[in-house]
Amino acid sequence: MPTTYSELYFPVLVQVLFAAVVAASLIGAGLFFGKRNRNSAKDSPYESGMKPVGSARERFSVKFYLVAMLFILFDIEAVFLYPWAVVYRELGIFGFIEMVLFMILVLSGFYFVWKKGALDWTLNPQRKAKDS
Amino acid sequence: MTFETLLPYLMAAIFAMAFPLVTGYLVLVERKILADFQARLGPMRVGPHGLLQPIADALKLILKEDTVPKDADKFLFYLAPLLSVVTAFGSFAVIPISATLRIADLNIGLLLISALAAVGVFGIILGGWSSNSNYSLLGALRGAAQLISYEVALGLSLVTVVMLSGTLSMQGIVEAQFNQRIWFLFGNYGLMLLSFFIFLIAAVAEVNRAPFDLPEAESEIVAGYHTEYSGFRWALYMLAEYTNIFIICAVAATVFFGGWLRPFANIEWLAYPMDAIFPAALLFLSAWGCARMKLFPFTALLGISGLVFLIPAVATALSAPFWFFLKVSAVFYVLIWFRASWPRLRYDQLMDLGWKRLIPLALGALLANAIIGML
């Protein structure tokens, strides 16, 4: 039976290394056996047969950044819930009330972003008129 | 070095080497089942009933040209599929197949799986961004936003499991289901069913399956984040995707359906019927099916393995992996069923479902389970 943390986690590292080796050797086999016949048309990015216009490194919707930021908040909340969930029977009603308080705080923030429209992905014309 | 200490490394090696082939056959099974849903035959040309199709596909992919688009960020373009595969395979390490067959029994098993799933997002977003193609970028952004949105609901629904089991170790969760004499699916007087449905919806979205396959919506953005990938580099993305599907099915089977436990694991007299007679009957049924399809070598193989299962010593040794893989296959079948039944969601519907429905519902299920569990 493994006793230390490094002994416990070593098989996970080995698994990851095996995966990397297998993936790299598959790519290697593809490079070795695959044919090579390059030309500039083939090297251009795919745009349904049209000549590519501009670059793909453009600005994109700020919505995606918002989702990422909200994700960090809520994922951290979920991670905070895990240790509580492990011991919540021992903590009993005290731990439960503390957790409910924590959730109320997070949920009030959630209510705020919801009403602010951060979770809306359709443009509501009425709302737009009111905001501007 | 005893066999016991070597076993985890042996399993890791077998997993890593066998899974490319297993993935090929998962694709074939999916195509066959989808074909069955649509009243057609599916792949039939390569080998009997298309059984050699995955090998033909692999050979074809190896002979394909490996193209890199102009102006692509070469380093990230090479790195991204590897990252996807490595994070997907890493989760294997904590999945228990029987009481002794597991690579590592970490006390944070469930967290490791969510953590690796979160790192897996990088494989998608780096691959899409580095290709320097508009379709890839759109697919990558959609994929990243979808994965992180549904990860919250997934994590919240798994908290209820942890509340019941009192541990994050996957092996510990299975043992807790044995000790409490109930699958967690039916725990807390049936309230866990709600958690399970949230988990299932979020899981389908996590692995980019229909009806949540927007990152690869071929009718809108060609192939999404892997539009510019070809040859085996593309195959690595498929490998990662199907590995993730297997992992999520295994997690569902482990935390909700009792993992490698046989049904009614606490009832002594059911040991032989559940460990031996049921698997043998299932194998005989498959043998009969193969005989009807004129696949006689498989009939012989399945018939003999059915007979082997009737030996009590073999049955006790093999029943845990048998039940584990049977449960995983059942969940996998449900995922294919979803794909055959529902059309794809629109993007705003997807985000609405994730943030405005599933997250509040998951929090409600969490609180309800906490209250019921404390009574």
mmCIF file of all heavy atoms in Angstrom, chain B residues 259-294:
data_model
loop_
_atom_site.group_PDB
_atom_site.id
_atom_site.type_symbol
_atom_site.label_atom_id
_atom_site.label_comp_id
_atom_site.label_asym_id
_atom_site.label_seq_id
_atom_site.Cartn_x
_atom_site.Cartn_y
_atom_site.Cartn_z
ATOM 1 N N GLY B 259 -20.785 1.666 -9.374
ATOM 2 C CA GLY B 259 -19.496 1.256 -9.918
ATOM 3 C C GLY B 259 -19.424 -0.223 -10.232
ATOM 4 O O GLY B 259 -20.278 -0.756 -10.937
ATOM 5 N N TRP B 260 -18.405 -0.877 -9.663
ATOM 6 C CA TRP B 260 -18.199 -2.293 -9.981
ATOM 7 C C TRP B 260 -19.045 -3.208 -9.111
ATOM 8 O O TRP B 260 -18.929 -4.433 -9.219
ATOM 9 C CB TRP B 260 -16.723 -2.653 -9.842
ATOM 10 C CG TRP B 260 -16.063 -2.100 -8.622
ATOM 11 C CD1 TRP B 260 -15.366 -0.935 -8.548
ATOM 12 C CD2 TRP B 260 -16.059 -2.659 -7.310
ATOM 13 N NE1 TRP B 260 -14.925 -0.744 -7.275
ATOM 14 C CE2 TRP B 260 -15.335 -1.786 -6.493
ATOM 15 C CE3 TRP B 260 -16.587 -3.818 -6.753
ATOM 16 C CZ2 TRP B 260 -15.130 -2.020 -5.147
ATOM 17 C CZ3 TRP B 260 -16.391 -4.054 -5.409
ATOM 18 C CH2 TRP B 260 -15.658 -3.165 -4.612
ATOM 19 N N LEU B 261 -19.884 -2.666 -8.226
ATOM 20 C CA LEU B 261 -20.747 -3.526 -7.417
ATOM 21 C C LEU B 261 -21.805 -4.167 -8.305
ATOM 22 O O LEU B 261 -22.318 -3.546 -9.219
ATOM 23 C CB LEU B 261 -21.450 -2.706 -6.340
ATOM 24 C CG LEU B 261 -20.599 -2.043 -5.280
ATOM 25 C CD1 LEU B 261 -21.468 -1.167 -4.422
ATOM 26 C CD2 LEU B 261 -19.920 -3.087 -4.436
ATOM 27 N N ARG B 262 -22.133 -5.437 -7.988
ATOM 28 C CA ARG B 262 -23.253 -6.034 -8.707
ATOM 29 C C ARG B 262 -24.548 -5.484 -8.104
ATOM 30 O O ARG B 262 -24.546 -4.997 -6.962
ATOM 31 C CB ARG B 262 -23.209 -7.548 -8.580
ATOM 32 C CG ARG B 262 -23.384 -8.049 -7.177
ATOM 33 C CD ARG B 262 -23.254 -9.562 -7.136
ATOM 34 N NE ARG B 262 -22.945 -10.031 -5.809
ATOM 35 C CZ ARG B 262 -23.851 -10.233 -4.866
ATOM 36 N NH1 ARG B 262 -25.107 -9.972 -5.082
ATOM 37 N NH2 ARG B 262 -23.487 -10.673 -3.676
ATOM 38 N N PRO B 263 -25.667 -5.533 -8.835
ATOM 39 C CA PRO B 263 -26.923 -5.080 -8.239
ATOM 40 C C PRO B 263 -27.247 -5.919 -7.015
ATOM 41 O O PRO B 263 -26.953 -7.115 -6.982
ATOM 42 C CB PRO B 263 -27.947 -5.313 -9.351
ATOM 43 C CG PRO B 263 -27.158 -5.371 -10.594
ATOM 44 C CD PRO B 263 -25.831 -5.919 -10.223
ATOM 45 N N PHE B 264 -27.821 -5.318 -5.994
ATOM 46 C CA PHE B 264 -28.149 -5.983 -4.724
ATOM 47 C C PHE B 264 -26.904 -6.633 -4.126
ATOM 48 O O PHE B 264 -26.895 -7.803 -3.784
ATOM 49 C CB PHE B 264 -29.255 -7.027 -4.913
ATOM 50 C CG PHE B 264 -30.460 -6.482 -5.618
ATOM 51 C CD1 PHE B 264 -30.745 -6.846 -6.918
ATOM 52 C CD2 PHE B 264 -31.285 -5.578 -4.975
ATOM 53 C CE1 PHE B 264 -31.841 -6.309 -7.572
ATOM 54 C CE2 PHE B 264 -32.389 -5.061 -5.626
ATOM 55 C CZ PHE B 264 -32.659 -5.419 -6.927
ATOM 56 N N ALA B 265 -25.841 -5.837 -4.011
ATOM 57 C CA ALA B 265 -24.555 -6.378 -3.580
ATOM 58 C C ALA B 265 -24.597 -6.895 -2.161
ATOM 59 O O ALA B 265 -23.745 -7.685 -1.771
ATOM 60 C CB ALA B 265 -23.478 -5.307 -3.701
ATOM 61 N N ASN B 266 -25.580 -6.479 -1.350
ATOM 62 C CA ASN B 266 -25.607 -6.892 0.046
ATOM 63 C C ASN B 266 -26.389 -8.181 0.259
ATOM 64 O O ASN B 266 -26.368 -8.747 1.342
ATOM 65 C CB ASN B 266 -26.214 -5.803 0.920
ATOM 66 C CG ASN B 266 -25.475 -4.497 0.731
ATOM 67 O OD1 ASN B 266 -25.811 -3.719 -0.154
ATOM 68 N ND2 ASN B 266 -24.458 -4.282 1.530
ATOM 69 N N ILE B 267 -27.113 -8.628 -0.763
ATOM 70 C CA ILE B 267 -27.934 -9.817 -0.586
ATOM 71 C C ILE B 267 -27.090 -11.034 -0.968
ATOM 72 O O ILE B 267 -26.715 -11.198 -2.136
ATOM 73 C CB ILE B 267 -29.221 -9.724 -1.432
ATOM 74 C CG1 ILE B 267 -29.968 -8.474 -1.009
ATOM 75 C CG2 ILE B 267 -30.069 -10.961 -1.237
ATOM 76 C CD1 ILE B 267 -31.151 -8.147 -1.877
ATOM 77 N N GLU B 268 -26.790 -11.865 0.039
ATOM 78 C CA GLU B 268 -25.818 -12.938 -0.149
ATOM 79 C C GLU B 268 -26.258 -13.945 -1.224
ATOM 80 O O GLU B 268 -25.480 -14.299 -2.092
ATOM 81 C CB GLU B 268 -25.594 -13.676 1.177
ATOM 82 C CG GLU B 268 -24.672 -12.942 2.141
ATOM 83 C CD GLU B 268 -23.264 -12.787 1.583
ATOM 84 O OE1 GLU B 268 -22.785 -13.722 0.930
ATOM 85 O OE2 GLU B 268 -22.655 -11.717 1.794
ATOM 86 N N TRP B 269 -27.518 -14.392 -1.131
ATOM 87 C CA TRP B 269 -27.904 -15.507 -2.000
ATOM 88 C C TRP B 269 -27.981 -15.107 -3.462
ATOM 89 O O TRP B 269 -28.055 -15.961 -4.344
ATOM 90 C CB TRP B 269 -29.225 -16.128 -1.536
ATOM 91 C CG TRP B 269 -30.410 -15.199 -1.592
ATOM 92 C CD1 TRP B 269 -30.869 -14.415 -0.587
ATOM 93 C CD2 TRP B 269 -31.279 -14.960 -2.693
ATOM 94 N NE1 TRP B 269 -31.949 -13.691 -0.984
ATOM 95 C CE2 TRP B 269 -32.243 -14.005 -2.277
ATOM 96 C CE3 TRP B 269 -31.354 -15.459 -4.004
ATOM 97 C CZ2 TRP B 269 -33.244 -13.539 -3.118
ATOM 98 C CZ3 TRP B 269 -32.348 -14.977 -4.841
ATOM 99 C CH2 TRP B 269 -33.283 -14.036 -4.395
ATOM 100 N N LEU B 270 -27.938 -13.790 -3.765
ATOM 101 C CA LEU B 270 -27.952 -13.369 -5.171
ATOM 102 C C LEU B 270 -26.554 -13.382 -5.774
ATOM 103 O O LEU B 270 -26.391 -13.075 -6.950
ATOM 104 C CB LEU B 270 -28.540 -11.964 -5.281
ATOM 105 C CG LEU B 270 -30.050 -11.894 -5.433
ATOM 106 C CD1 LEU B 270 -30.509 -10.452 -5.397
ATOM 107 C CD2 LEU B 270 -30.482 -12.538 -6.739
ATOM 108 N N ALA B 271 -25.543 -13.738 -4.968
ATOM 109 C CA ALA B 271 -24.156 -13.652 -5.461
ATOM 110 C C ALA B 271 -23.970 -14.479 -6.736
ATOM 111 O O ALA B 271 -23.506 -13.949 -7.745
ATOM 112 C CB ALA B 271 -23.195 -14.111 -4.378
ATOM 113 N N TYR B 272 -24.357 -15.772 -6.681
ATOM 114 C CA TYR B 272 -24.099 -16.596 -7.854
ATOM 115 C C TYR B 272 -24.964 -16.184 -9.056
ATOM 116 O O TYR B 272 -24.432 -16.037 -10.169
ATOM 117 C CB TYR B 272 -24.279 -18.083 -7.526
ATOM 118 C CG TYR B 272 -23.783 -18.966 -8.635
ATOM 119 C CD1 TYR B 272 -22.418 -19.050 -8.912
ATOM 120 C CD2 TYR B 272 -24.661 -19.684 -9.430
ATOM 121 C CE1 TYR B 272 -21.959 -19.830 -9.951
ATOM 122 C CE2 TYR B 272 -24.199 -20.474 -10.470
ATOM 123 C CZ TYR B 272 -22.839 -20.537 -10.723
ATOM 124 O OH TYR B 272 -22.379 -21.293 -11.760
ATOM 125 N N PRO B 273 -26.280 -15.950 -8.871
ATOM 126 C CA PRO B 273 -27.064 -15.506 -10.042
ATOM 127 C C PRO B 273 -26.525 -14.236 -10.675
ATOM 128 O O PRO B 273 -26.449 -14.132 -11.903
ATOM 129 C CB PRO B 273 -28.460 -15.289 -9.451
ATOM 130 C CG PRO B 273 -28.512 -16.140 -8.258
ATOM 131 C CD PRO B 273 -27.133 -16.219 -7.717
ATOM 132 N N MET B 274 -26.116 -13.250 -9.857
ATOM 133 C CA MET B 274 -25.672 -11.970 -10.413
ATOM 134 C C MET B 274 -24.239 -12.043 -10.940
ATOM 135 O O MET B 274 -23.891 -11.372 -11.899
ATOM 136 C CB MET B 274 -25.760 -10.879 -9.340
ATOM 137 C CG MET B 274 -27.166 -10.417 -9.079
ATOM 138 S SD MET B 274 -27.878 -9.668 -10.544
ATOM 139 C CE MET B 274 -29.500 -9.269 -9.960
ATOM 140 N N ASP B 275 -23.386 -12.848 -10.272
ATOM 141 C CA ASP B 275 -21.988 -12.910 -10.690
ATOM 142 C C ASP B 275 -21.778 -13.838 -11.867
ATOM 143 O O ASP B 275 -20.861 -13.638 -12.654
ATOM 144 C CB ASP B 275 -21.112 -13.384 -9.519
ATOM 145 C CG ASP B 275 -20.902 -12.290 -8.509
ATOM 146 O OD1 ASP B 275 -21.295 -11.156 -8.818
ATOM 147 O OD2 ASP B 275 -20.366 -12.569 -7.426
ATOM 148 N N ALA B 276 -22.601 -14.865 -11.969
ATOM 149 C CA ALA B 276 -22.317 -15.884 -12.982
ATOM 150 C C ALA B 276 -23.461 -16.057 -13.973
ATOM 151 O O ALA B 276 -23.241 -15.978 -15.178
ATOM 152 C CB ALA B 276 -22.013 -17.211 -12.298
ATOM 153 N N ILE B 277 -24.681 -16.263 -13.468
ATOM 154 C CA ILE B 277 -25.757 -16.649 -14.381
ATOM 155 C C ILE B 277 -26.142 -15.485 -15.291
ATOM 156 O O ILE B 277 -26.285 -15.655 -16.502
ATOM 157 C CB ILE B 277 -26.968 -17.175 -13.583
ATOM 158 C CG1 ILE B 277 -26.563 -18.457 -12.868
ATOM 159 C CG2 ILE B 277 -28.149 -17.439 -14.513
ATOM 160 C CD1 ILE B 277 -27.623 -19.026 -11.975
ATOM 161 N N PHE B 278 -26.247 -14.270 -14.715
ATOM 162 C CA PHE B 278 -26.619 -13.131 -15.560
ATOM 163 C C PHE B 278 -25.583 -12.857 -16.652
ATOM 164 O O PHE B 278 -25.961 -12.752 -17.831
ATOM 165 C CB PHE B 278 -26.852 -11.894 -14.690
ATOM 166 C CG PHE B 278 -27.325 -10.710 -15.460
ATOM 167 C CD1 PHE B 278 -28.674 -10.542 -15.721
ATOM 168 C CD2 PHE B 278 -26.426 -9.785 -15.968
ATOM 169 C CE1 PHE B 278 -29.111 -9.462 -16.456
ATOM 170 C CE2 PHE B 278 -26.856 -8.700 -16.698
ATOM 171 C CZ PHE B 278 -28.209 -8.546 -16.942
ATOM 172 N N PRO B 279 -24.263 -12.739 -16.290
ATOM 173 C CA PRO B 279 -23.286 -12.532 -17.375
ATOM 174 C C PRO B 279 -23.308 -13.651 -18.393
ATOM 175 O O PRO B 279 -23.245 -13.388 -19.611
ATOM 176 C CB PRO B 279 -21.944 -12.496 -16.646
ATOM 177 C CG PRO B 279 -22.251 -12.231 -15.241
ATOM 178 C CD PRO B 279 -23.630 -12.740 -14.965
ATOM 179 N N ALA B 280 -23.416 -14.894 -17.916
ATOM 180 C CA ALA B 280 -23.417 -16.024 -18.854
ATOM 181 C C ALA B 280 -24.620 -15.935 -19.783
ATOM 182 O O ALA B 280 -24.485 -16.102 -21.002
ATOM 183 C CB ALA B 280 -23.432 -17.332 -18.072
ATOM 184 N N ALA B 281 -25.791 -15.605 -19.207
ATOM 185 C CA ALA B 281 -26.988 -15.499 -20.037
ATOM 186 C C ALA B 281 -26.821 -14.404 -21.084
ATOM 187 O O ALA B 281 -27.171 -14.578 -22.261
ATOM 188 C CB ALA B 281 -28.194 -15.210 -19.150
ATOM 189 N N LEU B 282 -26.231 -13.273 -20.654
ATOM 190 C CA LEU B 282 -26.017 -12.165 -21.591
ATOM 191 C C LEU B 282 -25.076 -12.583 -22.718
ATOM 192 O O LEU B 282 -25.312 -12.276 -23.899
ATOM 193 C CB LEU B 282 -25.444 -10.970 -20.833
ATOM 194 C CG LEU B 282 -25.613 -9.621 -21.498
ATOM 195 C CD1 LEU B 282 -27.071 -9.234 -21.531
ATOM 196 C CD2 LEU B 282 -24.816 -8.567 -20.748
ATOM 197 N N LEU B 283 -24.003 -13.305 -22.337
ATOM 198 C CA LEU B 283 -23.038 -13.733 -23.346
ATOM 199 C C LEU B 283 -23.664 -14.754 -24.296
ATOM 200 O O LEU B 283 -23.408 -14.718 -25.505
ATOM 201 C CB LEU B 283 -21.792 -14.314 -22.674
ATOM 202 C CG LEU B 283 -20.892 -13.261 -22.025
ATOM 203 C CD1 LEU B 283 -19.869 -13.902 -21.126
ATOM 204 C CD2 LEU B 283 -20.187 -12.436 -23.096
ATOM 205 N N PHE B 284 -24.500 -15.669 -23.744
ATOM 206 C CA PHE B 284 -25.167 -16.640 -24.621
ATOM 207 C C PHE B 284 -26.106 -15.924 -25.581
ATOM 208 O O PHE B 284 -26.191 -16.270 -26.760
ATOM 209 C CB PHE B 284 -25.948 -17.659 -23.785
ATOM 210 C CG PHE B 284 -25.063 -18.635 -23.061
ATOM 211 C CD1 PHE B 284 -25.383 -19.077 -21.790
ATOM 212 C CD2 PHE B 284 -23.894 -19.095 -23.646
ATOM 213 C CE1 PHE B 284 -24.552 -19.963 -21.122
ATOM 214 C CE2 PHE B 284 -23.061 -19.985 -22.982
ATOM 215 C CZ PHE B 284 -23.391 -20.413 -21.717
ATOM 216 N N LEU B 285 -26.787 -14.913 -25.090
ATOM 217 C CA LEU B 285 -27.692 -14.135 -25.936
ATOM 218 C C LEU B 285 -26.906 -13.484 -27.075
ATOM 219 O O LEU B 285 -27.318 -13.524 -28.245
ATOM 220 C CB LEU B 285 -28.392 -13.074 -25.088
ATOM 221 C CG LEU B 285 -29.670 -12.491 -25.637
ATOM 222 C CD1 LEU B 285 -30.763 -13.541 -25.651
ATOM 223 C CD2 LEU B 285 -30.103 -11.285 -24.801
ATOM 224 N N SER B 286 -25.731 -12.897 -26.737
ATOM 225 C CA SER B 286 -24.898 -12.289 -27.785
ATOM 226 C C SER B 286 -24.412 -13.347 -28.756
ATOM 227 O O SER B 286 -24.339 -13.101 -29.966
ATOM 228 C CB SER B 286 -23.690 -11.583 -27.171
ATOM 229 O OG SER B 286 -24.022 -10.994 -25.965
ATOM 230 N N ALA B 287 -24.081 -14.530 -28.219
ATOM 231 C CA ALA B 287 -23.625 -15.617 -29.096
ATOM 232 C C ALA B 287 -24.724 -15.990 -30.082
ATOM 233 O O ALA B 287 -24.473 -16.173 -31.273
ATOM 234 C CB ALA B 287 -23.237 -16.833 -28.244
ATOM 235 N N TRP B 288 -25.955 -16.068 -29.580
ATOM 236 C CA TRP B 288 -27.081 -16.387 -30.457
ATOM 237 C C TRP B 288 -27.257 -15.304 -31.517
ATOM 238 O O TRP B 288 -27.486 -15.584 -32.700
ATOM 239 C CB TRP B 288 -28.344 -16.535 -29.598
ATOM 240 C CG TRP B 288 -29.567 -16.867 -30.385
ATOM 241 C CD1 TRP B 288 -29.809 -18.015 -31.076
ATOM 242 C CD2 TRP B 288 -30.703 -16.035 -30.581
ATOM 243 N NE1 TRP B 288 -31.022 -17.961 -31.683
ATOM 244 C CE2 TRP B 288 -31.607 -16.748 -31.399
ATOM 245 C CE3 TRP B 288 -31.061 -14.765 -30.134
ATOM 246 C CZ2 TRP B 288 -32.829 -16.219 -31.778
ATOM 247 C CZ3 TRP B 288 -32.279 -14.246 -30.503
ATOM 248 C CH2 TRP B 288 -33.151 -14.967 -31.330
ATOM 249 N N GLY B 289 -27.096 -14.033 -31.086
ATOM 250 C CA GLY B 289 -27.200 -12.928 -32.035
ATOM 251 C C GLY B 289 -26.146 -13.048 -33.121
ATOM 252 O O GLY B 289 -26.423 -12.846 -34.303
ATOM 253 N N CYS B 290 -24.912 -13.374 -32.719
ATOM 254 C CA CYS B 290 -23.830 -13.528 -33.696
ATOM 255 C C CYS B 290 -24.123 -14.694 -34.645
ATOM 256 O O CYS B 290 -23.806 -14.622 -35.830
ATOM 257 C CB CYS B 290 -22.507 -13.765 -32.989
ATOM 258 S SG CYS B 290 -21.847 -12.269 -32.274
ATOM 259 N N ALA B 291 -24.707 -15.762 -34.099
ATOM 260 C CA ALA B 291 -25.035 -16.895 -34.952
ATOM 261 C C ALA B 291 -26.060 -16.484 -35.994
ATOM 262 O O ALA B 291 -25.979 -16.884 -37.160
ATOM 263 C CB ALA B 291 -25.569 -18.051 -34.100
ATOM 264 N N ARG B 292 -27.016 -15.651 -35.577
ATOM 265 C CA ARG B 292 -28.032 -15.194 -36.535
ATOM 266 C C ARG B 292 -27.421 -14.342 -37.629
ATOM 267 O O ARG B 292 -27.902 -14.311 -38.756
ATOM 268 C CB ARG B 292 -29.109 -14.401 -35.806
ATOM 269 C CG ARG B 292 -30.152 -15.283 -35.181
ATOM 270 C CD ARG B 292 -31.323 -14.478 -34.730
ATOM 271 N NE ARG B 292 -31.692 -13.445 -35.689
ATOM 272 C CZ ARG B 292 -32.821 -12.768 -35.652
ATOM 273 N NH1 ARG B 292 -33.690 -13.025 -34.706
ATOM 274 N NH2 ARG B 292 -33.098 -11.845 -36.528
ATOM 275 N N MET B 293 -26.334 -13.578 -37.257
ATOM 276 C CA MET B 293 -25.665 -12.748 -38.266
ATOM 277 C C MET B 293 -24.583 -13.521 -38.995
ATOM 278 O O MET B 293 -23.781 -12.941 -39.722
ATOM 279 C CB MET B 293 -25.065 -11.510 -37.603
ATOM 280 C CG MET B 293 -26.104 -10.539 -37.112
ATOM 281 S SD MET B 293 -25.412 -8.939 -36.722
ATOM 282 C CE MET B 293 -24.379 -9.320 -35.346
ATOM 283 N N LYS B 294 -24.493 -14.846 -38.758
ATOM 284 C CA LYS B 294 -23.521 -15.737 -39.395
ATOM 285 C C LYS B 294 -22.088 -15.358 -39.042
ATOM 286 O O LYS B 294 -21.178 -15.499 -39.851
ATOM 287 C CB LYS B 294 -23.715 -15.744 -40.911
ATOM 288 C CG LYS B 294 -25.086 -16.234 -41.309
ATOM 289 C CD LYS B 294 -25.118 -16.682 -42.755
ATOM 290 C CE LYS B 294 -26.398 -17.430 -43.069
ATOM 291 N NZ LYS B 294 -27.611 -16.738 -42.608
#
